[in-house]
Amino acid sequence: MTAKLLDGKAVAARIQQEVKDAVDDMKAKHGVTPGLAAVLVGENPASQMYVKMKRNRCAEAGIESFGHELPADISQEDLEAIIADLNADPRVHGILVQLPLPDHLDEQQVLQSLSLDKDVDGFHPINIGRLAMKGREPDFIPATPYGCMVLLQEAEKLVDGFKIAGSNAAVLGRSNIVGMPMSLLLVKANATVTVVHSRTRDIPGIIQNSDIVIGAMGRPEMIKGEWFKEGAVCIDVATVKIDDPSAPKGYVWKGDFEFEKAKERVGAISPVPGGVGPMTIAMLLKNTLRGAEIAIAKGIKA
Ligand code: GUN
């Protein structure tokens, strides 16, 4: 293997420790315990698992978590009333509405009902708008792309000559949660960004010209190892479970990149799992701490 491994697990553990130290400090200095409310609608098993992991990691960092498990058929009005209560609750510094929501709910309307000061996912249209504007900064950066940016900064330390600014970057996927905010963050960091999607022509040609490649499509191993530019920094957000009777657990996780071939060619690459996944939760904890700092600065106390 010639590539450096971007070890998200190790970087996330470091960030979680920094958040824990800052939380201890905040409790001692201000008597404030940061609080995260996790709102889960329905019984999607993947969403249940993500919310559980988020709450466990909050507990480890000394952040209080408030769970709201709501029935799949909750009305828009009732859901927005719960969010209004959380907006007003001084113990809550961050509100996370796990996506996707059931089809009958208007997701944009729900995200818009969150207090800007508690929008720890950074999905409120005003925060996304600020991300897109020159000279403006959002209060919160969406956790997954934020984690990818931190891994790219790690790569600047690990890979000789690699700098985000001035790079050609390809972002594969244009979702509201990952692809679109990722490309906006890279533009802010002075990269030149190509957004690749299902209608893009000549994807191999774009990858060959890219110093940074972010995979966020969820198409297992679609991006072939030989397409990558030598020395490129590659971050794979996709995590797809594939049945494999020969594997100890009967399945394996795959990302968008053909990892085994890519790692012989590129400068740095994140593994799946153990790359971006742990970073997402670490950045959510960091955002919740920031929510508590905003409340303290405004003189709000529980
Ligand atoms: N669903 C998939 N990713 C995310 C995320 O980062 N936050 C929320 N709230 N829902 C998600």
Side-chain angles (χ1 to χ4, degrees):
M1 170 155 173
T2 58
K4 300 279 188 345
L5 201 66
L6 296 171
D7 184 350
K9 221 169 150 181
V11 179
R14 192 179 78 209
I15 291 169
Q16 184 166 330
Q17 187 59 47
E18 285 166 10
V19 170
K20 186 177 184 311
D21 293 345
V23 167
D24 290 345
D25 212 40
M26 181 178 277
K27 286 178 183 170
K29 276 204 190 112
H30 299 281
V32 171
T33 300
L36 175 71
V39 177
L40 175 63
V41 181
E43 294 181 0
N44 176 328
S47 293
Q48 285 173 326
M49 187 188 72
Y50 292 138
V51 167
K52 190 172 160 205
M53 278 165 35
K54 288 171 186 180
R55 295 190 65 188
N56 288 345
R57 299 277 288 281
C58 276
E60 286 165 19
I63 293 173
E64 192 167 359
S65 76
F66 304 90
H68 291 264
E69 282 160 28
L70 306 173
D73 63 354
I74 191 169
S75 69
Q76 182 86 20
E77 200 185 355
D78 288 351
L79 178 55
E80 286 185 27
I82 288 165
I83 290 173
D85 285 346
L86 295 173
N87 282 342
D89 188 337
R91 298 168 306 161
V92 172
H93 305 103
I95 305 170
L96 150 92
V97 180
Q98 188 65 28
L99 303 178
L101 290 171
D103 286 346
H104 70 280
L105 295 169
D106 182 341
E107 193 168 288
Q108 273 310 300
Q109 198 59 41
V110 170
L111 295 176
Q112 222 159 303
S113 72
L114 293 176
S115 160
L116 268 182
D117 288 342
K118 301 187 180 187
D119 177 35
V120 284
D121 262 326
F123 295 158
H124 190 294
I126 290 182
N127 270 326
I128 295 285
R130 287 180 184 154
L131 199 57
M133 289 166 82
K134 198 169 174 185
R136 299 294 301 272
E137 297 294 337
D139 289 323
F140 300 98
I141 299 168
T144 300
Y146 192 3
C148 294
M149 286 307 292
V150 173
L151 288 180
L152 288 174
Q153 285 154 7
E154 282 293 306
E156 285 189 333
K157 294 182 225 157
L158 294 171
V159 180
D160 272 353
F162 171 69
K163 281 260 166 297
I164 303 168
S167 286
N168 288 338
V171 178
L172 315 180
R174 53 180 164 177
S175 71
N176 289 335
I177 293 178
V178 185
M180 196 45 70
M182 185 74 235
S183 39
L184 296 171
L185 274 172
L186 283 164
V187 170
K188 268 208 189 311
N190 297 314
T192 300
V193 181
T194 303
V195 180
V196 173
H197 49 77
S198 53
R199 307 284 285 273
T200 300
R201 287 185 299 231
D202 190 21
I203 295 176
I206 293 168
I207 303 290
Q208 271 152 23
N209 191 37
S210 297
D211 310 297
I212 295 172
V213 185
I214 311 286
M217 296 184 299
R219 304 280 297 272
E221 300 199 328
M222 184 181 139
I223 306 303
K224 302 300 168 206
E226 68 267 19
W227 295 357
F228 289 98
K229 182 172 173 178
E230 275 184 37
V233 173
C234 308
I235 298 192
D236 204 336
V237 182
T239 320
V240 182
K241 196 175 181 178
I242 306 276
D243 288 334
D244 180 352
S246 71
K249 290 185 175 165
Y251 62 85
V252 290
W253 297 102
K254 296 261 182 221
D256 286 340
F257 305 156
E258 203 183 23
F259 182 85
E260 290 303 323
K261 287 199 182 141
K263 75 182 190 337
E264 301 304 329
R265 190 173 172 83
V266 303
I269 188 164
S270 68
V272 176
V276 176
M279 294 300 293
T280 295
I281 304 187
M283 303 329 284
L284 175 69
L285 301 182
K286 203 170 159 79
N287 279 349
T288 305
L289 174 69
R290 181 167 162 72
E293 286 165 355
I294 291 172
I296 290 169
K298 290 193 170 181
I300 300 166
K301 274 203 177 179

